[in-house]
Amino acid sequence: MINDLLDQASRHVSAPASTLAGGAWARAVRVRGRRRSVVAAVAVVALLSVTLTALHVGLPATERGGPDLAEKGVADHMPASPGRRALPSLPASGLVPPADRALPLTQWPATRAVAVVQPAGTEDGKPPMPLYVLDTDGSWRFVDGVALVSTRDNSGNESDPLRPTSISPSGRHIAVPQPDEVVIVDVTTGGRHRIALPGLNLEVVWRSDDLVLVSSEGVTHAVDRVAGTARPVLAGPLGPDLVAGPPDGPVLVLRDRELTERSLDDPTPVRRMAVDTSGLGSYRIAFWHGPAVGSGESIVRAGWEVDGAELVAVVDARTGVVRRLLDLGRGRSKSCCEPLAWVDDHTVLLRTDREGLLTWDVRDGQVRIVAGVGVGRIAVNFPGQR
Amino acid sequence: MSFDDRAEFVAFVHARQHRLLRAAYLVCGDHHRAEDLLQDALVKLALRWPRLRDGDPEAYLRTVMYRDAVSWWRRLRRESLPGALPDPPHEDDTGFVPDRLAFSSALARLTARQRAVLVLRYFDDLSEARTAEILGVSVGTVKSQTHTALRRLRELAPDLLAAIREG
């Protein structure tokens, strides 16, 4: 039986040193001491800051200046009962495509993709479900004539192919990674293009409406949608660490504790910045997951805090400083929560397992529920925000 | 963190550490890394001991250890660190065991998540729901990963076909 084999395979592992527990306790005591010192230092800084603010507050707003986001890091917590908010482009009833009332895209082209939904399929071992496109008038299309397969990485992990970053900046095109190719759909005509790209392609990031980056575990290709050509531009497995947008800015990669600027034509990073959470007290991000979505000078991405909390953080694209985070609490699954898009320059659209679609205002920290979602993958587009 | 807290913590760890170390080894395939994983998880547990000791500290310990193991393996695979590959299976005091060797080699070729699911389900003998909770995934994912992992093991170690059965 499998349990006997596992038992045999680990039987040679000898008992750990008797000091293991004592050593761990001693390290914990040291860590706690350091944290107390940090808290004390932060308290002193906060006191100074309050004093300076009190002196400063008499100035008119125009003289105070400063970026939109808070200067110092701020940690928000998911409220127990968030308020509600409507977004005009999204149906209040939720992003659930009515399969029986969706029209074929080839016969009924859309104005632009407000959202694209792919209901869950892979986990049950079935082929992926079709893509459903939400048009600006609230009607739904299904992308017909395109047989998609699941993406899979080198370890055999499979997933449905729609990505939160699949919609082009204008909302006109959808790019979907596929093994050995990328599929691009023009939602305004129903036209489909398949562009050959060797490898197990996993991620797509639009740079402009004509150029999309497609990453496999070995290389990232720049795909010219108009010419139908592709060229390798960045080596190595970048995956979702590649930041989506803004289209005209540098190529950014957010990985572990580093944010790097890259050029598409030069493999050497142009600039490296440490991801800095020092303004957020004891919060430390153990690793990132899911898409990194950029807008202007901010990047938003989900992560896992070193002590086990799920969170979403806003990183300053100019400095690597984590300006604000939303602590979603413990006990959620790792892929529970992901940023989908920037609604405007200070509001992020999130999707979470318990609440559905949410907006998070990174100026005042307000979290509000927009709508529910079904099970599956979602991409949402707000033109001009990427 | 009082002297009593420390004594309780040490007693708690002593009763479980060998089993946990074996589990960590099965997931990461590396003796040193397994010790590091366990040690790091113990430090995190010690930091929260006053709050967790009356709850379910073992669940917390397993959650931290398995999640760290999966994320460490993912990073390793991404960065392809030279010299940091898992220990190859080797002989031990009990002598050469062909079945164990074949099984260990096959196990090393699964993804970290798949190994973690198998170890939690069949080594730690936990339910699908408990496994899902610890790994932070759905029960459906645990089922599908278990199925995929066992199928892969049967492909990689066909001689052990009879032994590698679900349940």
Side-chain angles (χ1 to χ4, degrees):
Chain A
M1 295 292 281
I2 185 80
N3 45 355
D4 295 330
L5 290 168
L6 288 165
D7 187 59
Q8 278 178 32
S10 63
R11 199 169 285 169
H12 65 289
V13 176
S14 49
S18 59
T19 55
L20 189 69
W25 188 265
R27 265 178 65 191
V29 169
R30 285 199 298 276
V31 169
R32 185 160 280 204
R34 275 203 303 276
R35 285 184 182 174
R36 281 189 181 135
S37 307
V38 169
V39 169
V42 168
V44 170
V45 171
L47 189 63
L48 279 171
S49 168
V50 167
T51 310
L52 288 172
T53 305
L55 293 170
H56 197 56
V57 78
L59 292 174
T62 48
E63 290 178 40
R64 286 201 294 272
D68 286 339
L69 299 178
E71 285 288 340
K72 224 171 71 62
V74 178
D76 301 316
H77 290 81
M78 175 64 82
S81 307
R84 296 198 73 87
R85 171 186 181 175
L87 288 178
S89 58
L90 300 181
S93 56
L95 277 181
V96 183
D100 55 336
R101 283 186 285 120
L103 302 166
L105 185 71
T106 52
Q107 292 173 42
W108 301 88
T111 307
R112 72 173 174 84
V114 172
V116 181
V117 175
Q118 184 168 35
T122 296
E123 196 162 272
D124 298 322
K126 298 173 188 166
M129 298 286 282
L131 304 179
Y132 289 87
V133 178
L134 176 65
D135 199 357
T136 49
D137 62 0
S139 60
W140 289 89
R141 314 282 188 278
F142 67 91
V143 178
D144 53 327
V146 180
L148 297 173
V149 298
S150 303
T151 59
R152 67 178 193 279
D153 63 18
N154 287 334
S155 303
N157 294 309
E158 294 191 359
S159 76
D160 288 333
L162 181 69
R163 298 291 182 264
T165 49
S166 278
I167 307 178
S168 72
S170 72
R172 180 171 175 173
H173 305 284
I174 307 165
V176 185
Q178 292 282 272
D180 296 319
E181 64 180 0
V182 60
V183 172
I184 298 178
V185 177
D186 184 336
V187 301
T188 65
T189 64
R192 292 93 64 196
H193 305 280
R194 289 181 178 270
I195 298 170
L197 285 179
L200 297 174
N201 300 301
L202 294 172
E203 304 295 337
V204 290
V205 165
W206 288 91
R207 296 288 297 162
S208 68
D209 250 48
D210 295 338
L211 189 72
V212 59
L213 303 182
V214 184
S215 291
S216 70
E217 287 198 286
V219 67
T220 297
H221 285 90
V223 175
D224 185 322
R225 180 190 61 78
V226 180
T229 56
R231 64 187 173 101
V233 286
L234 297 167
L238 295 180
D241 295 337
L242 197 58
V243 178
D248 302 324
V251 177
L252 295 167
V253 177
L254 178 60
R255 171 173 293 176
D256 297 337
R257 292 172 192 271
E258 192 174 70
L259 176 65
T260 52
E261 276 184 21
R262 308 270 186 111
S263 157
L264 284 185
D265 300 308
D266 185 352
T268 313
V270 177
R271 199 155 71 97
R272 292 178 184 275
M273 291 158 276
V275 173
D276 179 2
T277 55
S278 58
L280 289 158
S282 62
Y283 281 100
R284 284 193 299 132
I285 296 162
F287 62 87
W288 302 102
H289 55 78
V293 184
S295 176
E297 291 162 349
S298 301
I299 301 165
V300 63
R301 193 170 186 192
W304 195 53
E305 207 265 332
V306 76
D307 288 337
E310 291 293 331
L311 53 83
V312 179
V314 175
V315 182
D316 190 318
R318 302 161 301 177
T319 61
V321 171
V322 178
R323 291 277 183 205
R324 193 155 197 142
L325 63 79
L326 176 61
D327 184 337
L328 296 151
R330 293 171 176 73
R332 293 180 186 248
S333 65
K334 190 168 70 60
S335 55
C336 69
C337 315
E338 60 182 4
L340 296 174
W342 287 86
V343 178
D344 51 41
D345 64 356
H346 57 88
T347 311
V348 180
L349 183 70
L350 304 172
R351 181 226 185 125
T352 66
D353 53 350
R354 295 177 193 160
E355 294 84 3
L357 287 181
L358 300 168
T359 56
W360 173 38
D361 189 321
V362 299
R363 288 189 309 192
D364 62 16
Q366 269 206 34
V367 176
R368 287 182 287 184
I369 292 179
V370 175
V373 289
V375 179
R377 290 187 162 252
I378 293 175
V380 181
N381 177 255
F382 297 92
Q385 290 306 318
R386 284 220 326 232
Chain B
M1 296 171 88
S2 69
F3 183 79
D4 286 346
D5 285 341
R6 184 185 185 282
E8 273 181 5
F9 175 80
V10 170
F12 170 84
V13 174
H14 271 294
R16 294 160 180 82
Q17 59 183 8
H18 192 195
R19 189 78 183 169
L20 287 165
L21 185 63
R22 288 175 67 185
Y25 170 79
L26 286 169
V27 177
C28 75
D30 178 288
H31 283 273
H32 297 299
R33 182 59 203 165
E35 284 186 8
D36 286 350
L37 279 171
L38 179 55
Q39 176 86 6
D40 288 350
L42 288 175
V43 172
K44 288 173 185 171
L45 177 64
L47 280 166
R48 283 155 196 76
W49 184 251
R51 265 188 292 150
L52 291 172
R53 67 180 170 196
D54 297 327
D56 190 355
E58 190 163 351
Y60 177 83
L61 191 56
R62 282 184 200 279
T63 301
V64 171
M65 197 178 80
Y66 280 92
R67 289 192 183 195
D68 279 359
V70 172
S71 66
W72 169 80
W73 186 257
R74 192 177 291 133
R75 262 200 316 276
L76 173 77
R77 189 161 52 79
R78 202 171 56 196
E79 293 168 2
S80 302
L81 293 177
L85 294 171
D87 294 345
H90 54 79
E91 294 183 36
D92 60 22
D93 296 336
T94 62
F96 183 71
V97 184
D99 280 1
R100 203 201 87 201
L101 193 64
F103 179 72
S104 296
S105 299
L107 192 65
R109 294 178 67 182
L110 301 183
T111 65
R113 168 80 60 81
Q114 288 167 349
R115 284 196 298 273
V117 167
L118 289 185
V119 173
L120 283 162
R121 291 282 289 114
Y122 300 113
F123 185 73
D124 291 342
D125 202 23
L126 300 184
S127 66
E128 286 172 341
R130 200 84 183 91
T131 301
E133 202 178 330
I134 284 172
L135 292 176
V137 298
S138 67
V139 172
T141 299
V142 169
K143 284 181 180 172
S144 64
Q145 293 272 315
T146 305
H147 179 73
T148 307
L150 291 174
R151 190 187 62 205
R152 183 88 177 118
L153 282 178
R154 283 192 288 270
E155 288 167 5
L156 293 166
D159 293 345
L160 303 177
L161 198 61
I164 304 172
R165 287 197 310 266
E166 214 156 332

